[in-house]
Amino acid sequence: MGRVVLVTGISRDIGRRFARHAAADPSIDRVIGVDVVPPRGDIGDVSFVRADIRNPVIAKVIAREQVDTVVHMSVIATPGSSGGRNAMKELNVIGTMQLLAACQKVETVKHLVVKSTTTVYGASSRDPAMFTEDMGPKSVPRSGYAQDVYEIEGYVRGFARRRPDVRVTTLRCANVIGPHVVSPLTNYLRMPFVPTVFGYDPRVQFLHERDLFAVLRHAATTDVAGTFNIAGDGMLLLSQVIRRLGKANVPMPGFAIGRTASALRSARLADFSREQLAFLTYGRGVDTTCMRDVLGFTPQWTTKDALADFAKSLEAESTPATAGARRA
């Protein structure tokens, strides 16, 4: 018998697409996707179960389906998609706590994969050139997505201590980019005029969406535990990113960026969080040695290649035929 994998957050495009990707793996017998609402797109051979991970009933779903591998993807980065900051925190933190409690109760669970983010390291002028997995942020995040992820990883470590028989794999992914990705960063890069912080040119790393699916699938089917930085090879400066996308770079003082961010958020053109503004000021670099040497995974797309593929999708969106099809 192959693995039985449960994927959370399947109503979001990235969760749905990963679930389909996992279902194609011959070593996986069944994939069950859970969320509070059904996914909009085709889920193929994936079985959908309407369930809220914030509710203890999720333990019954895991037990009934005899799940042995849980891939937790329902951690969201913006409050707009969840009904506000309080709802976002409830889904991210309370939902994760209930899911971990369910996994602790069900003996069939033997592997937990958590999609985390390099945002957990923060971004500041005191950061090292490259973060390794044993490093933490220079200051503990006090709000927003960064705080949620920091707390979530703490609860995951606690779960690993309580269930030492379960392999726990935490993937700290760099900013995911690709033709189908909708995120605060991709929305920012889609703007015709890209505001930047005057006097700063931060370093960035990208992870292509296909490599995200591949590393999640690899982690779910490989008996390797631990915390790993996940990013494509190489780095770019933000100015290089904007230039390669053919966009206009608009440097602004820091206080003006904050006001612009508020206006864009109100107009629902982009959702700038405090951690994103810090990232666009100081940037971030992560070391991926453990990803290759311990996890045994090598991304197929470099940071430059991932950006180039994203650039192609922007060109396609701007063509009259594509624009007409999108309006239709």
Side-chain angles (χ1 to χ4, degrees):
M1 294 292 292
R3 299 174 188 260
V4 179
V5 179
L6 181 137
V7 180
T8 67
I10 196 176
S11 69
R12 299 169 63 213
D13 182 69
I14 199 166
R16 176 185 63 84
R17 293 175 61 216
F18 166 68
R20 289 200 59 178
H21 183 82
D25 192 308
S27 69
I28 296 177
D29 186 51
R30 289 188 294 133
V31 176
I32 300 100
V34 298
D35 216 322
V36 292
V37 295
R40 293 183 179 180
D42 181 21
I43 61 174
D45 295 330
V46 178
S47 301
F48 172 71
V49 177
R50 189 190 296 267
D52 190 340
I53 64 171
R54 294 169 292 185
N55 192 308
V57 74
I58 189 64
K60 296 181 179 180
V61 175
I62 294 173
R64 183 183 69 237
E65 301 293 342
Q66 296 184 315
V67 171
D68 56 65
T69 302
V70 174
V71 180
H72 183 32
M73 297 185 65
S74 59
V75 179
I76 57 176
T78 58
S81 60
S82 59
R85 171 58 189 150
N86 290 336
M88 171 184 169
K89 187 174 184 64
E90 181 180 351
L91 176 63
N92 288 346
V93 179
I94 304 302
T96 299
M97 291 175 64
Q98 289 288 3
L99 180 68
L100 294 176
C103 292
Q104 184 175 340
K105 293 178 182 178
V106 182
E107 295 182 356
T108 60
V109 175
K110 297 300 179 184
H111 196 178
L112 170 67
V113 179
V114 178
K115 179 190 173 294
S116 187
T117 170
T118 55
T119 302
V120 73
Y121 294 118
S124 75
S125 59
R126 299 175 296 154
D127 290 349
M130 303 290 278
F131 279 101
T132 57
E133 289 84 353
D134 59 347
M135 296 179 180
K138 290 301 179 181
S139 60
V140 177
R142 301 294 183 184
S143 63
Y145 179 52
Q147 181 187 35
D148 290 356
V149 175
Y150 185 83
E151 291 182 13
I152 286 169
E153 286 204 6
Y155 292 128
V156 171
R157 288 191 293 271
F159 168 80
R161 290 191 294 269
R162 294 189 298 273
R163 282 287 306 269
D165 59 311
V166 176
R167 295 183 303 277
V168 178
T169 309
T170 301
L171 305 177
R172 290 175 177 166
C173 300
N175 287 286
V176 179
I177 199 169
H180 305 94
V181 176
V182 178
S183 70
L185 182 66
T186 59
N187 288 339
Y188 166 78
L189 295 177
R190 283 186 168 97
M191 297 170 60
F193 302 97
V194 182
T196 58
V197 182
F198 181 78
Y200 292 89
D201 198 4
R203 300 167 304 144
V204 298
Q205 289 169 299
F206 295 130
L207 178 68
H208 194 276
E209 57 185 280
R210 293 186 185 178
D211 280 327
L212 170 65
F213 301 147
V215 72
L216 286 166
R217 179 175 172 178
H218 177 83
T221 56
T222 305
D223 297 337
V224 178
T227 299
F228 303 96
N229 294 331
I230 310 296
D233 286 343
M235 304 186 76
L236 289 169
L237 297 175
L238 181 58
S239 60
Q240 294 175 313
V241 171
I242 296 171
R243 185 168 61 251
R244 288 170 184 243
L245 293 177
K247 303 288 185 175
N249 186 350
V250 185
M252 296 181 177
F255 69 88
I257 285 282
R259 294 174 182 174
T260 301
S262 298
L264 292 172
R265 187 165 47 245
S266 299
R268 296 186 177 182
L269 296 175
D271 198 339
F272 282 81
S273 61
R274 182 177 300 178
E275 57 264 22
Q276 184 173 352
L277 290 174
F279 174 70
L280 295 176
T281 303
Y282 302 107
R284 184 186 306 114
V286 297
D287 182 274
T288 57
T289 302
C290 289
M291 174 188 73
R292 291 173 174 79
D293 295 348
V294 181
L295 183 61
F297 178 79
T298 301
Q300 297 299 306
W301 301 69
T302 66
T303 288
K304 291 181 180 179
D305 291 340
L307 179 65
D309 195 44
F310 176 68
K312 289 180 183 178
S313 70
L314 295 188
E315 293 175 2
E317 290 175 4
S318 64
T319 60
T322 304
R326 287 167 63 87
R327 285 192 297 269

